[in-house]
């Protein structure tokens, strides 16, 4: 008969034994994470496949991502720099970087909520760790981020002369931004921590959303509001410029101080645009990361095995 | 050592969007799992109190009418569903082939889909590339493998899927109905390969409505009914009870001899009957002898247990809201 010509024994990338005594244990939750990470070839392929499918048969392909980001950033940059009376050469990089980082954060929530709902078919047909699907979402968003990053590079190259020295975003603003330099490399740990958070958000919000189908709708409905509430098109400077220095510690600052998304934005945007970065942002981000992962692990422990029932 | 142990396993589906009141009425329906209403969220008990122990070399057929829990049981055995109560212990690499469309990308080539299907089953890209010649030869798809998958017929898709699962040496192979779409000659070839695989160190569980396929591939069988494991034993016994007639009887003696003399250690526990929740043969099976002649026509009145799968219309008509929806829905 057709004996298989195997030249290499099949790997045991999957756990050899599925023992449902582990159903509601942390061991099961960590096992899922570990097995998911090991299936790197699978989720990286699936992430790419999502991108390719979306742009199939179009001439520019995934570069539409880059192009649409470029158009948006340029349009918004020109418009709002005039409205706020800001200098185009520093304002366009500000809004571009903010916008592309925001995209990653918001899409992590938005698409993370749909992670398991969209993969319902696969979840019911193949015994794969949940983490694979969360990583698929995060990887897809990372690919989009990298495509968008080309716009940042172009914009920074164009306005480099104004960015590499201290500048004020808005004339007469209180904060003097230090300008970009070697310290801008701090954006790398910033991005790494952003990715790390993308994974737990996909897992946690994804699991909750499979059970409560109103969650994705809710996230969808507040996403535009969050965009305008977070300093992306406007800057913290414009608050102080309008209300004076005494407002800088008042309730008006709460809109960004108590907005974790602002801090996530800052740890990437500030280094990349040479803006001023408060250490508070890093503290907030690290706390959110730790708490988020702990909650996610508990939810994974209790409801990991339920997801295939709920989808 | 490959084995599956299932102890008192239940699979309960919560139905969050259903009104419990309207579901109560459907409890009278006889198709599908038992629908419990004692909780706030209505629950479909797709599988109830399953006890099963499968060992290396077993080739098990899975029979039962629509909504009896065949697919759900396969998903339980694959580890996709962890039981809501009870335990399962699965040792061995599982390769499920349930739906041929899932995980396939219609726009990419057959080659690429072979690799992706392998990735899903826990292989690496490199390992799949080593197997691709073997798969191409076995499936006889040849140059067609370079064509996008949307140009494939159903039978060709089945070939591809079977080619992948049989090439990766899975230890536990779970097949849902649907592989019947291939032609007889290929089936013969696939059968040899499947039997080969089971003999090497594996296990096969195969859900089907086709007596012919079951007789070719399996030595023992499980009869699912209403989410419960009604009978587990040698294929011939189970089919006789389930159909109400002995399907082996009508076979020409030569074929019967060939099926009986099949190689392999599949017949390791002949006559061992699982004490199902109701040990006595179902009411449908009891009067099967008389009803056998009319079975195909759908005449007579089907026993409460539902003694035939071939009559389709009647049985599936009452299936709404039962276990069938839970198992196959939400695609």
């Amino acid at each position: 008969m057709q004996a298989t010509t195997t030249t290499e024994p099949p790997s045991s990338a999957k756990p050899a034994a599925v023992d449902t005594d582990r159903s509601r244990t942390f061991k099961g939750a960590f096992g899922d994470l570990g097995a998911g990470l090991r299936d790197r070839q699978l989720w990286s392929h699936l992430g790419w496949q999502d991108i390719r499918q979306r742009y199939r048969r179009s001439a520019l392909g995934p570069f539409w991502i880059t192009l649409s980001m470029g158009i948006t950033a340029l349009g918004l940059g020109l418009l709002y720099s005039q409205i706020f009376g800001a200098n185009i050469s520093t304002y366009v990089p500000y809004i571009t970087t903010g916008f592309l980082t925001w995209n990653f954060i918001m899409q992590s929530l938005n698409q993370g909520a749909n992670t398991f709902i969209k993969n319902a078919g696969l979840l019911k047909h193949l015994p794969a760790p949940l983490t694979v699907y969360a990583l698929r979402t995060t990887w897809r968003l990372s690919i989009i981020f990298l495509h968008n990053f080309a716009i940042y590079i172009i914009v920074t190259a164009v306005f480099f002369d104004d960015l590499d020295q201290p500048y004020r975003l808005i004339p007469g603003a209180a904060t003097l931004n230090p300008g970009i330099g070697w310290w801008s490399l701090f954006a790398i740990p910033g991005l790494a921590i952003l990715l790390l958070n993308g994974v737990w958000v996909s897992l946690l919000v994804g699991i909750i959303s499979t059970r409560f189908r109103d969650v994705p709708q809710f996230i969808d409905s507040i996403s535009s509001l969050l965009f305008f509430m977070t300093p992306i098109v406007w800057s913290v400077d414009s608050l102080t410029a309008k209300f004076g220095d005494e407002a800088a510690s008042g309730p008006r600052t709460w809109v960004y101080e108590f907005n974790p998304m602002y801090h996530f934005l800052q740890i990437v945007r500030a280094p990349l645009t040479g803006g001023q970065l408060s250490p508070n942002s890093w503290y907030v981000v690290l706390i959110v990361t730790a708490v988020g992962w702990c909650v996610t692990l508990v939810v994974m422990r209790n409801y990991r095995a339920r997801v295939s029932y709920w989808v | 050592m490959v084995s599956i142990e299932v102890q008192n396993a239940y699979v309960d589906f919560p139905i969050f969007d259903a009104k419990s009141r309207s579901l109560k009425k459907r409890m009278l329906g006889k198709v599908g799992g038992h629908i419990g209403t004692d909780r706030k969220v209505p629950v479909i008990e797709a599988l109830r109190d399953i006890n099963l122990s499968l060992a290396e070399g077993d080739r098990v057929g899975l029979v039962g009418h629509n909504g009896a829990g065949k697919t759900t049981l396969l998903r339980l055995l694959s580890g996709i569903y962890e039981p809501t109560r009870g335990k399962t212990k699965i040792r061995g690499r599982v390769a499920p082939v349930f739906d041929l469309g899932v995980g396939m990308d219609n726009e990419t080539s057959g080659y690429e889909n072979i690799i992706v299907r392998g990735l899903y089953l826990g292989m690496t890209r490199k390992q799949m590339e080593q197997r691709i010649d073997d798969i191409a030869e076995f499936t006889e798809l040849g140059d067609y493998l370079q064509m996008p998958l949307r140009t494939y017929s159903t039978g060709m898709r089945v070939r591809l899927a079977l080619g992948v699962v049989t090439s990766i040496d899975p230890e536990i192979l779970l097949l849902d109905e649907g592989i019947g779409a291939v032609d007889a000659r290929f089936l013969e070839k696939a059968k040899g390969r499947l039997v080969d695989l089971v003999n090497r160190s594996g296990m096969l569980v195969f859900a089907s409505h086709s007596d012919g396929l079951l007789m070719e591939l399996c030595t023992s069988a499980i009869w699912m009914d209403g989410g419960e494991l009604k009978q587990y034993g040698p294929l011939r016994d189970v089919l006789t009870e389930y159909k109400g007639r002995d399907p082996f009887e009508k076979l020409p003696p030569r074929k019967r001899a060939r099926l009986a003399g099949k190689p392999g250690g599949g017949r390791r526990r002949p006559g061992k009957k699982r004490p199902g929740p109701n040990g006595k043969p179902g009411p449908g099976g009891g009067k099967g002898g008389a009803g056998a002649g009319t079975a195909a026509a759908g005449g007579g009145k089907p026993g409460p247990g539902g003694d035939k799968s071939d009559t389709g219309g009647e049985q599936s008509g009452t299936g709404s809201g039962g276990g069938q929806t839970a198992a196959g829905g939400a695609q």
Side-chain angles (χ1 to χ4, degrees):
Chain A
M1 224 48 230
Q2 301 265 330
T4 46
T5 56
T6 49
T7 46
E8 195 180 317
S11 78
S12 47
K14 291 202 186 303
V18 178
D19 185 349
T20 49
D21 283 345
R22 306 192 337 164
S23 249
R24 289 181 72 133
T25 58
F26 281 112
K27 204 177 152 199
F30 281 111
D32 189 286
L33 279 173
L37 283 169
R38 276 196 300 277
D39 279 343
R40 186 182 54 81
Q41 287 186 328
L42 179 57
W43 52 258
S44 62
H45 174 90
L46 291 173
W48 265 113
Q49 182 181 294
D50 291 339
I51 304 265
R52 277 202 310 262
Q53 257 169 9
R54 195 166 136 199
Y55 296 97
R56 183 159 283 137
R57 294 188 189 178
S58 82
L60 286 181
F63 282 99
W64 272 111
I65 305 171
T66 313
L67 199 66
S68 59
M69 172 57 74
I71 294 168
T72 314
L74 194 69
L76 286 181
L78 291 176
L79 175 67
Y80 282 98
S81 63
Q82 297 310 304
I83 290 176
F84 292 120
N87 188 355
I88 289 180
S89 60
T90 51
Y91 188 78
V92 170
Y94 174 82
I95 197 166
T96 305
T97 318
F99 204 65
L100 67 94
T101 313
W102 175 259
N103 260 0
F104 181 89
I105 296 172
M106 200 59 227
Q107 296 294 319
S108 286
L109 270 169
N110 247 338
Q111 301 190 10
N114 286 308
T115 293
F116 302 121
I117 297 173
K118 284 270 165 67
N119 285 306
L122 284 172
L123 275 164
K124 281 186 176 285
H125 286 96
L126 292 158
L130 289 185
T131 313
V132 165
Y133 304 109
L135 289 169
R136 172 190 196 168
T137 302
T138 308
W139 178 239
R140 178 177 65 235
L141 295 175
S142 312
I143 295 169
I144 294 175
F145 182 86
L146 285 176
H147 276 90
N148 287 336
F149 203 72
I151 297 295
Y152 164 79
I153 293 171
I154 293 169
V155 164
T156 310
V158 169
F159 299 114
F160 188 75
D161 287 343
D162 293 293
L163 284 172
D164 76 336
Q165 53 197 338
Y167 65 91
R168 288 177 206 279
L169 203 58
I170 296 171
T175 38
L176 180 67
N177 294 302
I180 54 177
W182 285 110
W183 78 280
S184 297
L185 291 177
F186 274 111
I188 293 170
L191 283 169
I193 212 120
L194 211 57
L195 282 181
L196 199 62
N197 280 276
V199 180
W200 76 253
V201 167
S202 286
L203 281 169
L204 180 68
V205 184
I207 291 175
I208 295 172
S209 300
T210 30
R211 172 64 184 81
F212 301 102
R213 298 296 168 106
D214 296 294
V215 173
Q217 304 299 331
F218 173 72
I219 292 175
D220 209 36
S221 66
I222 59 162
S223 62
S224 333
L225 177 67
L226 285 173
F227 174 75
F228 289 109
M229 294 283 279
T230 311
I232 299 164
V233 287
W234 55 281
S235 66
V236 172
D237 282 334
S238 46
L239 270 190
T240 38
K242 187 155 174 70
F243 301 106
D245 274 345
E246 84 273 17
S249 54
R252 287 198 179 92
T253 64
W254 293 355
V255 71
Y256 60 91
E257 286 291 355
F258 292 103
N259 177 357
M261 294 175 127
Y262 165 72
H263 299 288
F264 275 99
L265 200 63
Q266 273 299 91
I267 60 164
V268 175
R269 180 177 60 188
L272 285 178
T273 58
Q276 200 185 49
L277 177 60
S278 154
N280 273 346
S281 290
W282 265 104
Y283 299 149
V284 171
V285 163
L286 289 176
I287 291 168
V288 170
T289 309
V291 172
W293 268 109
C294 288
V295 173
T296 303
L297 281 169
V298 172
V299 170
M300 286 271 281
R301 170 191 181 275
N302 289 340
Y303 303 110
R304 178 183 53 81
R306 293 279 80 80
V307 170
S308 55
Y309 283 79
W310 290 341
V311 288
Chain B
M1 181 63 190
V2 179
S3 71
I4 297 182
E5 297 285 336
V6 183
Q7 284 172 16
N8 305 96
Y10 285 74
V11 169
D12 302 333
F13 285 98
I15 305 299
F16 297 115
D17 52 358
K19 296 273 180 296
S20 59
R21 188 164 292 176
S22 64
L23 272 176
K24 253 177 212 162
K25 290 176 190 158
R26 293 191 192 168
M27 283 176 67
L28 300 170
K30 58 179 176 257
V31 180
H34 178 78
I35 303 168
T37 46
D38 47 340
R39 283 201 265 161
K40 218 157 61 178
V41 176
V43 165
I44 292 176
E45 293 181 342
L47 293 179
R48 286 205 284 169
D49 200 20
I50 303 291
N51 283 289
L52 191 63
S53 152
L54 302 177
E56 206 171 297
D58 282 358
R59 284 184 276 141
V60 189
L62 201 48
V63 296
H65 59 71
N66 294 340
K70 296 188 295 294
T71 306
T72 314
L73 181 65
L74 282 178
R75 288 182 182 159
L76 182 77
L77 298 181
S78 69
I80 292 171
Y81 292 149
E82 294 181 11
T84 28
R85 283 171 277 167
K87 273 192 216 168
T88 55
K89 207 165 209 167
I90 303 161
R91 287 182 204 285
R93 280 158 39 83
V94 181
V97 186
F98 297 160
D99 188 313
L100 298 160
V102 170
M104 295 280 212
D105 183 0
N106 267 326
E107 298 293 328
T108 53
S109 67
Y111 273 118
E112 189 61 22
N113 272 291
I114 285 176
I115 288 173
V116 175
R117 251 194 129 73
L119 289 179
Y120 276 126
L121 297 171
M123 308 294 286
T124 64
R125 192 170 273 273
K126 216 173 114 197
Q127 287 169 337
M128 285 318 288
E129 275 161 8
Q130 287 166 345
R131 286 164 171 76
I132 222 151
D133 288 340
D134 174 47
I135 297 170
E137 190 195 336
F138 168 66
T139 57
E140 298 169 355
L141 288 171
D143 289 340
Y144 229 90
L145 284 177
Q146 283 150 14
M147 294 285 131
L149 200 72
R150 66 183 135 87
T151 61
Y152 282 40
S153 72
T154 314
M156 290 161 86
R157 282 164 197 255
V158 180
R159 283 180 177 223
L160 194 117
L162 277 180
V164 174
V165 287
T166 53
S167 75
I168 64 166
D169 272 335
E171 288 159 334
I172 300 169
L173 187 55
L174 305 169
L175 300 178
D176 208 347
E177 46 208 327
I179 71 161
V182 292
D183 55 53
R185 196 178 53 82
F186 183 77
L187 201 62
E188 189 59 30
K189 196 168 158 183
K191 182 197 138 200
R193 196 150 143 151
L194 287 170
V195 172
D196 220 35
L197 196 98
V198 177
N199 287 342
R200 270 207 300 280
S201 74
M203 184 195 296
L204 169 74
V205 183
F206 175 38
S208 177
H209 288 300
S210 151
D211 290 350
L213 281 174
L214 286 170
M215 286 190 279
E216 292 283 354
L217 286 172
C218 306
T219 52
S220 57
I222 294 170
W223 176 10
M224 292 301 293
D225 186 37
E228 288 172 1
L229 197 151
K230 192 158 188 170
Q231 194 184 356
Y232 172 42
L235 180 70
R236 188 171 178 171
D237 296 0
V238 174
L239 278 184
T240 308
E241 289 281 317
Y242 172 61
K243 297 269 171 181
R245 66 196 143 87
D246 187 356
F248 284 77
E249 218 166 57
K250 287 182 190 154
L251 292 178
R254 256 183 58 213
K255 187 167 186 190
R256 211 186 310 172
R258 181 172 66 80
L259 289 173
K262 225 169 353 198
R267 291 177 174 274
R268 53 178 53 217
R269 56 166 73 95
K272 188 178 177 189
K273 221 181 219 184
R274 283 273 145 185
N278 44 352
K280 61 180 196 311
K287 64 177 176 74
T294 55
K301 55 178 204 303
D307 58 342
K308 49 198 177 280
S309 58
D310 317 13
T311 50
E314 198 170 13
Q315 297 277 345
S316 54
T318 51
S320 58
Q324 177 67 14
T325 5
Q331 288 296 312

